[in-house]
Amino acid sequence: TNAWTGRPGIKTPNFKRLAEMSMSFINCEVPSPACAPSRVAIMTGVHPVKSGITGWRHPEWRKVPALQKVETIEQFFKEGKSEIIFNDLLPLFSSSDYSIVNLECPLIVHRSPIKKDGRNLGVSVECINGLKKSHIRAVNLANNHILDHGEQGLKSTVEALNSADIEWFGAGSCLVEAQKPLVKTINNSLFVFIGVAEHEFSIAGNNTWGANPIDIINNLKVIRKYRNEADFLIVLLHGGKEHYPY
């Protein structure tokens, strides 16, 4: 039986063992089962049914009639309007001892999109204002979009985060740096955060910027190194197949 869906006939013993050792978040809702429609809906507040963007291959969203005049969440991030962005979630962030989010797009000064299959994500470095005002203390950069604007886009992201005193992990100037976990003592407990991403267009090389890849051997070495030292070891894995129920 599948560890998370309980579907018969789908045997995932390793995932089952992982689930039994982990905390499962089962109350998760999205506007669409695909990434692009969900992203557009969250960025604009317009449901996929109304905008007409229901798949990941879609026209430039600003050319869609229903979205041409809407105020986007990017503008709120630039202006630091955290109360509009997160609403009733904001008190949870501000009252937390430490809050981490996944930053799935680079913070850029100029557009420099790489050639790839799918959309290139990127927002202005000014959006750092929204992250800082939202009491976010660290971000995971291990994902498939962090290199959408090349090395320069990731560099400007790191520079913006450093200037705002927001910690980061899961990516870096080379593979060795990208593989380094974030080690943090919080309320006398040692936390280790590890970010890894599927191999797409964003993975770091030996001497090139990018995200920390899923590498079973290396990932296991890092986990074994820290699991006996840390009070809490948290792995943030970015990947998966869309439209699949498991």
Side-chain angles (χ1 to χ4, degrees):
T1 301
N2 180 266
W4 282 289
T5 66
R7 290 176 177 267
I10 302 173
K11 297 180 180 180
T12 55
N14 292 325
F15 278 126
K16 182 179 180 181
R17 185 164 55 90
L18 176 62
E20 291 171 348
M21 297 165 55
S22 309
M23 177 183 293
S24 296
F25 297 90
I26 59 174
N27 187 21
C28 178
E29 299 178 14
V30 293
S32 166
C35 61
S38 289
R39 197 155 44 227
V40 173
I42 292 170
M43 291 290 287
T44 63
V46 180
H47 195 277
V49 173
K50 185 174 181 180
S51 70
I53 296 179
T54 56
W56 72 274
R57 291 188 182 276
H58 59 79
E60 291 294 332
W61 65 272
R62 273 299 189 190
K63 296 179 181 179
V64 176
L67 303 177
Q68 289 178 354
K69 296 182 179 180
V70 298
E71 191 171 12
T72 67
I73 199 170
E74 180 180 359
Q75 188 60 41
F76 297 142
F77 267 101
K78 288 181 181 179
E79 298 170 0
K81 294 181 177 179
S82 56
E83 69 285 352
I84 295 178
I85 300 168
F86 292 110
N87 203 305
D88 56 351
L89 280 178
L90 190 60
L92 183 62
F93 282 151
S94 59
S95 62
S96 297
D97 296 314
Y98 202 75
S99 54
I100 291 179
V101 299
N102 176 50
L103 182 58
E104 198 177 353
C105 70
L107 306 177
I108 60 176
V109 179
H110 304 291
R111 288 183 57 80
S112 54
I114 64 171
K115 291 183 179 181
K116 55 173 285 188
D117 188 21
R119 294 294 174 183
N120 295 80
L121 305 186
V123 295
S124 168
V125 290
E126 296 177 60
C127 288
I128 197 69
N129 295 326
L131 293 175
K132 191 170 184 178
K133 288 289 185 65
S134 302
H135 307 281
I136 291 169
R137 305 288 297 278
V139 298
N140 173 33
L141 300 179
N143 58 70
N144 59 311
H145 284 287
I146 199 61
L147 209 63
D148 274 9
H149 288 266
E151 292 192 357
Q152 188 55 50
L154 181 49
K155 288 178 183 178
S156 60
T157 302
V158 168
E159 290 170 359
L161 293 168
N162 289 340
S163 68
D165 293 323
I166 297 176
E167 296 182 285
W168 51 273
F169 62 100
S173 60
C174 62
L175 184 59
V176 172
E177 184 176 45
Q179 290 173 336
K180 290 181 179 178
L182 173 62
V183 181
K184 195 76 180 174
T185 299
I186 306 170
N187 292 339
N188 298 319
S189 294
L190 184 65
F191 286 76
V192 176
F193 301 95
I194 300 171
V196 294
E198 278 188 322
H199 288 247
E200 286 195 18
F201 306 92
S202 62
I203 298 306
N206 290 331
N207 298 296
T208 55
W209 287 74
N212 183 23
I214 294 176
D215 180 326
I216 300 301
I217 295 175
N218 177 267
N219 298 157
L220 184 58
K221 285 181 178 179
V222 175
I223 291 172
R224 283 179 171 174
K225 177 182 178 181
Y226 287 99
R227 68 179 179 183
N228 293 326
E229 302 176 17
D231 296 297
F232 299 92
L233 192 152
I234 300 172
V235 179
L236 302 177
L237 188 154
H238 191 94
K241 298 295 185 183
E242 295 175 338
H243 297 288
Y244 279 72
Y246 52 85

